[in-house]
Amino acid sequence: MSLEIQTIEDFEYLTQSKELVVIHFWAEWNGYDKLLKEILNGLAVEFEEKVKFCSLDVDQQQFIGFLRSLPLPNIPALAYYKDGNKIALEIGLRKKKYIQNKIENYLNLR
């Protein structure tokens, strides 16, 4: 359901998109990330044509130095981008309805 970001170039390209992009920063060892992934998979179906859902494994070697340049204090984290701008960064597990409301609000931004 979500696009796995494999390179820094992928990340930079996706975050410049005109449409809403939701990036899930995660790690295999984090149990909360597994729960959040299930929630995001459901939302990806609901917002299929309107939102790009992406994920980035913070333990991949190619991202170690790059992630230090982002304000990412912990995982799980969701970053929302639209029109090349970061709208929000949220840390921690959130309920489906909360994320759904955020997405709907961000889709209406001009």
Side-chain angles (χ1 to χ4, degrees), residues 28-106:
E28 186 66 36
W29 49 265
N30 189 316
Y32 292 121
D33 280 315
K34 292 174 184 162
L35 296 171
L36 187 53
K37 189 175 192 175
E38 289 179 31
I39 292 169
L40 294 173
N41 283 339
L43 291 172
V45 171
E46 182 178 341
F47 292 103
E48 184 176 9
E49 298 295 320
K50 299 176 184 175
V51 180
K52 287 183 185 176
F53 287 87
C54 308
S55 62
L56 189 150
D57 180 353
V58 300
D59 286 336
Q60 287 193 27
Q61 187 64 34
Q62 67 268 29
F63 296 120
I64 302 289
F66 173 71
L67 290 172
R68 289 187 187 120
S69 68
L70 299 177
L72 189 65
N74 209 341
I75 58 169
L78 292 178
Y80 300 84
Y81 290 84
K82 188 173 182 181
D83 295 322
N85 298 306
K86 183 175 8 174
I87 303 169
L89 175 67
E90 296 188 342
I91 308 300
L93 181 62
R94 301 283 194 251
K95 293 186 180 210
K96 180 179 180 178
K97 188 66 175 170
Y98 176 89
I99 298 169
Q100 185 179 35
N101 288 338
K102 288 289 184 178
I103 289 171
E104 289 170 355
N105 289 337
Y106 296 148

